[in-house]
Amino acid sequence: MAEVRVQAEGFDAGAELNRFSAAQAGAGAVVSFTGVVRDVAGGLEAMEIEHYPGMTEKAIAGIVQQAEGRWPLTGALVIHRHGRLEPGAQIMMVATASAHRVAAFEAAEFLMDYLKSRAPFWKKEVTRDGVGWVEAVEADEDALKRW
């Protein structure tokens, strides 16, 4: 069973993982990843993430369905935040469960790669020097080629 949440509120990754894991009857592996806002170039004050409610959840659900079609998952969880997030804030979480670890790991990586490049979010960096939209990165597109 998959769960997709797009929310402004923070989340407790440990509590989410415990809840998710407890619901995975028959799973032999649970894999999770939590993404954090980072200050790559220095001077980042915040990242502002925008989305279209309804469209974003539908797009992410479609990505999750692709993963469920490729790997024998017992469950998947995707949480992605929007709004103003400061460096160090949790931005997203992916968890997958399967009878076998390889499927859980690969599905989690697939979800992370596709969320990074295909989920309809628009990110703006607010720095000491001004504000600018985050552009697509070629390495993120290249990551999709392995799938």
Side-chain angles (χ1 to χ4, degrees):
M1 178 93 162
E3 180 182 356
V4 173
R5 293 190 343 240
V6 177
Q7 62 191 49
E9 305 81 25
F11 58 90
D12 180 331
E16 293 289 351
L17 183 57
N18 287 339
R19 182 187 59 78
F20 176 77
S21 297
Q24 303 309 313
V30 174
V31 171
S32 70
F33 171 83
T34 303
V36 177
V37 176
R38 61 189 167 146
D39 185 1
V40 178
L44 182 70
E45 294 176 4
M47 179 173 286
E48 294 178 358
I49 302 171
E50 298 180 11
H51 78 294
Y52 288 109
M55 181 181 91
T56 302
E57 291 85 349
K58 184 176 179 180
I60 294 171
I63 295 167
V64 172
Q65 286 177 338
Q66 289 179 51
E68 290 174 324
R70 294 181 70 158
W71 292 277
L73 300 178
T74 61
L77 168 67
V78 175
I79 302 169
H80 203 297
R81 294 181 63 198
H82 63 88
R84 184 179 174 92
L85 304 173
E86 296 179 357
Q90 294 173 338
I91 189 170
M92 59 86 70
M93 178 180 182
V94 166
T96 56
S98 181
H100 303 286
R101 66 180 166 84
V102 172
F105 272 109
E106 288 179 354
E109 285 188 280
F110 173 89
L111 289 171
M112 291 179 294
D113 285 345
Y114 271 80
L115 288 168
K116 180 89 172 167
S117 299
R118 295 295 183 264
F121 289 101
W122 295 268
K123 299 174 183 174
K124 192 176 0 176
E125 290 183 337
V126 179
T127 69
R128 314 186 270 259
D129 301 324
V131 177
W133 292 101
V134 176
E135 296 184 24
V137 177
E138 190 172 329
D140 293 337
E141 290 297 315
D142 289 343
L144 299 180
K145 293 176 184 172
R146 66 184 177 141
W147 306 114

